[in-house]
Amino acid sequence: MKERSKLLTIGQFASLHGINKKTLMWYDEIGLFGPAAVNPENGYRYYSYHQSSILETILLLRELDVSITEIQNFMKNRSAVNMKSLLEEKIVELDLQLAHMQAVRKTLSNYRQNMDTILTMDLSEIGVVEKEESCLVTVDIDRDSSFEKKVELITERTSRLNLGRLHNAYYGAMIPVTSLKNGDFEDYTKLFIEVPFLKQKEGVHIQPKGKYIRAFYKGSWDGLSLCYRKILRFAETKGIALSGYSYEKGINETVIDRIEDYITQIEIPFEFVSI
């Protein structure tokens, strides 16, 4: 086609590729992409049809957030090998961005679900829920552990996980069911961080899949014993045997200012007692 040999003005060439002609002028100034010809009398730039594929490659790389410096280096050494390497690098970066956005969405969904629970829950009700297995990163404590020591332990464990701000992790405490049955409602033996999709399962506590009693308590932690006594009575009347640990965590810390409004969720695994 004869038309392909004709030169286009900078405005025509820019319109053909859906960009501003100032972009072409800038590419020329930095030595990234120049015109096929320049009118020596007026300095007007002209481009050929055959330059379109080169410009589209540059625009594609810019769309992929490839830096100008990287594109300049590639344009000086254009080859299938270099293009493949550059694209593979950007695919890895994109996968990381997608994973981050999925984490953002999951975090938002979980917070929204917590808010739904807070707005609709009946604090006086003890319910039964089915839970999937989850991984808990734990630190050991005892009743002699000071608050400062507990903070130090959990902070150190969290920092080693490199969770970031959108880690979608939950913090809580664990009491052995044997202690609850003995009336010791303050025998906390572990603090935990629940981390969904934890890759490393060695050295973590597995919260087992199965049926759980779930109850809520509103108020300062000093009154949790009342809730535990209520749970034990519930279990006895329903003929179920509690096992393992009680898992406590706060579910409304982000929307309250007073400890009196704090809501603790308690979950304890159980089995029905055969008669």
Side-chain angles (χ1 to χ4, degrees):
M1 295 175 62
K2 290 183 179 180
E3 288 79 2
R4 292 189 178 182
S5 63
K6 291 182 178 180
L7 294 179
L8 303 173
T9 66
I10 189 172
Q12 292 171 326
F13 197 67
S15 296
L16 178 64
H17 293 278
I19 60 174
N20 192 298
K21 65 181 183 180
K22 288 184 178 179
T23 300
L24 288 173
M25 294 171 67
W26 181 55
Y27 285 170
D28 186 19
E29 289 171 7
I30 64 175
L32 178 60
F33 180 77
V38 178
N39 188 315
E41 296 180 2
N42 54 26
Y44 288 173
R45 297 172 173 87
Y46 294 92
Y47 296 81
S48 72
Y49 175 86
H50 299 288
Q51 290 181 285
S52 288
S53 61
I54 298 175
L55 178 60
E56 282 299 323
T57 299
I58 293 172
L59 296 177
L60 169 64
L61 295 176
R62 289 298 290 151
E63 187 72 21
L64 295 172
D65 287 330
V66 180
S67 70
I68 289 294
T69 300
E70 288 177 295
I71 296 176
Q72 286 174 322
N73 291 334
F74 168 73
M75 295 303 290
K76 292 174 184 176
N77 302 280
R78 277 193 300 154
S79 70
V81 171
N82 289 340
M83 174 61 92
K84 179 185 176 184
S85 176
L86 185 59
L87 293 178
E88 285 177 344
E89 179 183 327
K90 293 306 165 185
I91 287 172
V92 170
E93 290 180 8
L94 184 59
D95 286 342
L96 291 174
Q97 292 173 16
L98 288 172
H100 175 73
M101 293 307 296
Q102 288 171 346
V104 171
R105 191 185 191 288
K106 185 169 180 58
T107 297
L108 291 174
S109 296
N110 284 341
Y111 276 127
R112 181 184 64 182
Q113 184 177 351
N114 278 351
M115 295 307 106
D116 284 341
T117 300
I118 291 167
L119 293 170
T120 59
M121 72 171 64
D122 180 354
L123 293 176
S124 64
E125 181 182 352
I126 296 178
V128 172
V129 295
E130 191 82 28
K131 289 181 65 70
E132 294 298 319
E133 177 185 288
S134 61
C135 296
L136 306 182
V137 180
T138 63
V139 293
D140 294 329
I141 59 171
D142 56 43
R143 63 180 73 249
D144 295 325
S145 300
S146 66
F147 176 76
E148 291 76 12
K149 183 62 177 178
K150 292 176 183 177
V151 170
E152 179 186 331
L153 288 170
I154 203 71
T155 300
E156 180 185 355
R157 202 74 165 90
T158 305
S159 62
R160 272 192 259 160
L161 292 171
N162 295 318
L163 295 176
R165 296 200 179 278
L166 291 172
H167 49 67
N168 192 31
Y170 294 94
Y171 299 85
M174 297 161 57
I175 303 177
V177 166
T178 52
S179 297
L180 297 179
K181 291 178 179 178
N182 291 329
D184 190 348
F185 305 118
E186 295 186 7
D187 186 26
Y188 293 97
T189 59
K190 296 179 186 293
L191 298 179
F192 71 79
I193 314 166
E194 180 183 354
V195 186
F197 312 116
L198 190 67
K199 296 178 182 178
Q200 176 80 20
K201 288 196 174 184
E202 269 184 46
V204 302
H205 173 88
I206 302 298
Q207 184 177 1
K209 174 182 179 179
K211 295 184 182 298
Y212 283 70
I213 281 180
R214 176 183 285 173
F216 300 97
Y217 177 78
K218 184 177 182 179
S220 70
W221 300 311
D222 296 338
L224 278 170
S225 59
L226 299 173
C227 189
Y228 276 119
R229 288 191 176 94
K230 184 177 178 182
I231 290 172
L232 291 172
R233 288 195 299 270
F234 176 88
E236 185 178 354
T237 58
K238 296 295 182 181
I240 57 181
L242 304 179
S243 61
Y245 289 88
S246 168
Y247 301 89
E248 293 181 14
K249 66 180 181 182
I251 63 169
N252 67 337
E253 295 167 314
T254 59
V255 293
I256 61 168
D257 295 316
R258 305 183 312 149
I259 190 62
E260 291 81 8
D261 297 323
Y262 190 91
I263 297 176
T264 301
Q265 174 184 284
I266 299 171
E267 293 179 335
I268 309 174
F270 72 87
E271 294 178 352
F272 286 101
V273 179
S274 58
I275 301 175

